[in-house]
Amino acid sequence: MTAFDELVAFDRDTQALAQIAGRLGWDQETMMPRGAADQRGDEFAAIEAVLHARRTDPRVGEWLAKAEPGDEVGAAILRHIRRSYDRTNKVPAKLAAELARITSKSQGVWAEARANNDFAAFAPTFKEVLRLRREEGAALAEGGDIYDALLNDYEPGAKSADLVAMFDAMRPRLVALRQAVLDRPEPKALDRHFDEAVQLKLSTTLATTFGYDLSRGRIDKAVHPFSSGSGNDVRITTRTAAYDPFNCFYSTIHEVGHACYEQNIDQAYLLTPLGNGVSMGVHESQSRIYENQLGRSRAFAGWLYGQMRDAFGDFGISSEDEFYATVNRVSRGYIRTEADELQYNLHVLLRFDLERALIRGELEIDDLEAAWNDRFAADFGYAVDKPSNGVLQDVHWPVGLFGYFPTYSLGNVYAGNLHAALREAIPDLDADLAQGRTARATGWLRDNLQQHGGLYEPRETIVRAIGKEPTEAPLLDYLDAKFSDIYGL
Ligand code: ZN
């Protein structure tokens, strides 16, 4: 065997173990008995230690020094393994284990603090999480920017300076459009009870409508919807709310976007570093284009209206036009995950600014709640009423995910670019969507983007799909056109 073959064979088991660790995480959110939390923390720490040892195994370094890639695919595999090897070697094993343990424990402490609306109860644990992540970031940055080092875990190649420029370009147009929209009468909201079993049934129909392969996936309920796994075992979760079936339907479509990306990666890359979505931003571009540009389009909403009438009977919305406005209703709210397309990126921007200050040491945990509340009031024009609607709402920071939030907005920007290219490639797409057919759209995304997995760098993956450099303009133009149409601006 050549050094390359030995390396890839060794890495294959590491990839398999990482999939198992991911499935433990899935289990924790769906099936695990509550009393198992501490034991699960130990189980996570144990498997993380095994993964850490494999990723830093000196043989990997020796193989990397000798391996000849042979072709483009081999070169990409080496690039990923080298990045992982370098990254893991920069972080002392003791710190990695401490991080795994504290972030697993922190999730439970945060959940209780959130339920009790008590930020102070979470602060001591949160300080530990932040301290350890700063320490890790410093080890990764090797004298460079700590925030960028953390950001690179989720979006290789991204720089916070570029993201600052992206948000600077977005913010004024989003704020102006939101003001114009909020000055207009609000579309009708749903006000009926929707049977939750029927919601789940229609949600499964939506999942398969968007191409989710249930023979290699499954749908369960969880408090927070997510997608997990790669290749031939990609699972999603969804949730139901009796008076808000859109929460269930659009959570499902969103997670199906993530899951289809994983399922549609070239099978030749299975259990190699190329067999996963390439970055969080590119991942989010898939979930958001499924959910918003396709799922909340006028054409598809018209089809969904008919499906909902069949499933629930008359539910108080009298036409496809009215339904389209209801689906895209812009209203006041505190919660990022429930935000409409127009306000979503303003929620992300708030977090991006605060977490950079936290990582730089310009903001401390003891001042975070006040900083959040001040910033929210300034950006949204009304006060946060309780921590669960404010600083305690997201699980990201409690589990140490600093540098993750901006990838959501990057994903939205990428989705805007992909949507423009998709519409150009398939001008009569609405005729399909109006009949609940997504195969040409999802097939275009599979062929031009999803199948490549980790073959190209994240930004290059987008450039290859759209044939040019992405900018924030297509997303902003799309939002302008869509909300001007709905709100008669
Ligand atoms: Zn997502």
Side-chain angles (χ1 to χ4, degrees), residues 109-110 112-127 365-370 386-388 391-392:
V109 181
W110 161 75
E112 198 176 328
R114 191 174 73 147
N116 298 330
N117 277 298
D118 186 358
F119 181 75
F122 180 52
T125 311
F126 198 7
K127 283 178 191 172
I365 297 291
D366 287 333
D367 304 317
L368 178 61
E369 185 178 11
K386 53 187 178 184
S388 58
V391 67
L392 287 179

Side-chain angles (χ1 to χ4, degrees), residues 41-87:
D42 289 345
E43 291 170 7
F44 266 126
I47 197 158
E48 280 305 320
V50 171
L51 283 166
H52 189 271
R54 293 186 67 89
R55 287 175 179 143
T56 52
D57 192 306
R59 287 174 294 170
V60 173
E62 289 161 23
W63 287 321
L64 277 170
K66 282 187 273 182
E68 298 285 346
D71 59 9
E72 186 188 31
V73 170
I77 288 174
L78 288 183
R79 188 177 71 235
H80 282 278
I81 296 177
R82 185 167 286 123
R83 185 179 286 151
S84 159
Y85 181 74
D86 291 345
R87 190 221 184 272

Side-chain angles (χ1 to χ4, degrees), residues 254-255 258 283-284 287-288 404 408:
H254 180 99
E255 299 309 331
H258 285 301
H283 239 298
E284 196 69 5
S287 57
R288 295 299 269 185
Y404 191 113
Y408 287 127

Side-chain angles (χ1 to χ4, degrees), residues 320-383:
E320 286 185 13
D321 271 355
E322 195 175 42
F323 184 79
Y324 177 52
T326 299
V327 162
N328 289 290
R329 193 165 164 268
V330 175
S331 53
R332 288 161 55 115
Y334 301 109
I335 305 292
R336 174 186 60 83
T337 57
E338 294 168 5
D340 49 80
E341 280 181 87
L342 182 45
Q343 300 186 87
Y344 187 87
N345 293 302
L346 296 170
H347 287 274
V348 174
L349 179 51
L350 177 157
R351 289 155 179 76
F352 176 56
D353 286 343
L354 292 181
E355 70 177 12
R356 278 186 299 140
L358 283 172
I359 294 298
R360 286 196 203 117
E362 293 164 1
L363 175 65
E364 294 302 331
I365 297 291
D366 287 333
D367 304 317
L368 178 61
E369 185 178 11
W372 179 293
N373 291 344
D374 289 350
R375 176 65 187 265
F376 188 88
D379 280 9
F380 290 83
Y382 43 97

